[in-house]
Amino acid sequence: MAWLTSFYPDVYLDSTYEIDFEALYRKGFRGVIFDVDNTLVPHGAPADACSIALFERLKSIGFESVLLSNNKEPRVKMFSDEVHTRYIYKAGKPGKKGYLRAMEMMKTSPASTLFVGDQLFTDVWGAKRTGILTYLVKPIHPKEEIQIVLKRRLERIVLFFYRRSLEKRQR
């Protein structure tokens, strides 16, 4: 099952809001690409105080940022306008094109960019294929579109083997 590792995140956390962006900046990271729905806010929700504060914090640290979403422009633009960052809609994740375009917008490289998202088969896989450090976060809210609900069942299998591989490495 070695092929499963192409879906394994580099880091798996409960929430976007627990990432130590200051430490990542000190390590040389300069750009952050974010998924929106269920990564920063519940699916379809507007920006909230936490997400607005996060983007203000990122700017004060010195990070560039881009929202990368497979959603339509009105949804992504609304959120982008509230957090004051750039965006790419209908990104075609897990294809590499959107990730490469985001790095071009931020003037970063795979070595200086990280990606934060809540889905293995689109967010993580696409970022890994592009050579970007991947952070998988648990979905904020269980309400999701049916196609995502079905993918979550497969994700559980991959995450089972991911956790098992972490346990083996820690022994």
Side-chain angles (χ1 to χ4, degrees), residues 12 19 25 35 45 49 59 73 83 94 126 153:
Y12 183 32
I19 298 172
Y25 193 86
D35 178 51
K59 285 178 188 137
E73 187 173 24
V83 298
R153 291 182 179 165

Side-chain angles (χ1 to χ4, degrees), residues 86-143:
R86 294 163 288 191
Y87 66 94
I88 299 169
Y89 66 98
K90 288 189 180 178
K93 295 181 290 182
K96 294 180 181 181
K97 189 176 168 185
Y99 297 90
L100 295 171
R101 189 163 156 231
M103 287 187 288
E104 187 179 303
M105 290 167 80
M106 297 186 296
K107 296 178 177 47
T108 60
S109 68
S112 64
T113 305
L114 62 121
F115 181 87
V116 183
D118 68 300
Q119 293 186 53
L120 287 176
F121 302 125
T122 51
D123 298 333
V124 170
W125 190 37
K128 284 188 71 119
R129 292 174 59 226
T130 315
I132 299 170
L133 181 72
T134 59
Y135 277 73
L136 176 69
V137 296
K138 292 180 182 172
I140 291 174
H141 193 275
K143 178 187 165 238

Side-chain angles (χ1 to χ4, degrees), residues 4-74:
L4 278 180
T5 61
S6 61
F7 300 106
Y8 289 0
D10 296 303
V11 181
Y12 183 32
L13 298 171
D14 288 335
S15 169
T16 300
Y17 300 100
E18 65 184 64
I19 298 172
D20 187 346
F21 289 104
E22 289 80 3
L24 289 163
Y25 193 86
R26 286 191 298 273
K27 289 181 181 178
F29 289 93
R30 296 296 180 262
V32 188
I33 304 170
F34 288 99
D35 178 51
V36 179
D37 288 322
N38 261 340
T39 298
L40 294 164
V41 292
H43 187 80
D48 59 12
C50 288
S51 57
I52 292 167
L54 173 64
F55 281 86
E56 289 172 356
R57 178 174 148 219
L58 290 170
K59 285 178 188 137
S60 73
I61 295 168
F63 271 108
E64 296 290 326
S65 62
V66 172
L67 303 174
L68 186 68
S69 175
N70 285 347
N71 219 319
K72 294 176 184 164
E73 187 173 24

